């Protein structure tokens, strides 16, 4: 029984994690919960139990990974920032040390 329940959660969370990965903006908890057919509170608990991250932490981590990929392949930090889904460079620079551990041009 637990295996079936676990599989069902994993399957539902796969769809929501893909939605987070494809979105430029972090989808609301309510939107993610609706897609998974769960209440927002329960979805948050299950998502964190399965992935180890909250939906917001997952979105930040994924965006950070996209940014690193863009910085490696792009000649311009500004292009990499916008291609990774940041809406403005100032929003990125507020947290660049946190995300990269160094200045973007040094990355």
């Amino acid at each position: 029984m637990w295996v079936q329940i676990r599989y069902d959660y994993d399957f539902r969370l796969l769809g929501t994690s893909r939605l987070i990965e494809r979105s430029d903006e972090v989808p609301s908890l309510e939107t993610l919960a609706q897609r998974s057919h769960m209440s927002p509170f329960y979805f948050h608990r299950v998502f964190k139990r399965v992935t180890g991250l909250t939906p917001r932490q997952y979105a930040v981590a994924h965006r950070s990974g996209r940014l690193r990929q863009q910085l490696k392949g792009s000649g311009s930090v500004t292009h990499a920032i916008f291609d990774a889904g940041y809406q403005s460079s100032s929003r990125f620079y507020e947290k660049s040390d946190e995300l990269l551990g160094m200045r973007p041009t040094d990355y």
Side-chain angles (χ1 to χ4, degrees):
M1 173 104 176
W2 171 247
V3 173
Q4 179 60 35
I5 293 170
R6 171 68 187 212
Y7 174 78
D8 186 43
Y9 285 155
D10 289 348
F11 186 72
R12 287 195 234 174
L13 294 180
L14 180 64
T16 55
S17 62
R18 296 298 170 255
L19 176 65
I20 293 170
E21 292 168 6
R22 289 189 207 118
S23 299
D24 288 335
E25 295 287 323
V26 179
S28 70
L29 185 59
E30 289 76 20
T31 300
L32 296 171
Q34 281 179 343
R35 282 192 61 128
S36 298
H37 305 287
M38 297 180 201
S39 73
F41 175 76
Y42 191 64
F43 171 78
H44 191 273
R45 283 184 53 204
V46 170
F47 192 93
K48 185 167 182 173
R49 186 174 4 150
V50 171
T51 65
L53 301 168
T54 66
R56 181 163 300 284
Q57 290 170 330
Y58 185 86
V60 168
H62 183 72
R63 183 183 283 182
S64 177
R66 279 195 308 198
L67 177 66
R68 286 187 179 93
Q69 289 298 103
Q70 294 295 330
L71 285 171
K72 286 180 185 176
S74 178
S76 165
V77 172
T78 304
H79 288 324
I81 290 169
F82 288 109
D83 289 345
Y86 289 90
Q87 299 302 314
S88 71
S89 58
S90 63
R91 298 276 308 201
F92 164 73
Y93 281 110
E94 288 173 2
K95 298 184 180 197
S96 63
D97 288 342
E98 239 177 82
L99 295 171
L100 300 174
M102 63 184 74
R103 293 183 321 196
T105 53
D106 294 339
Y107 192 83

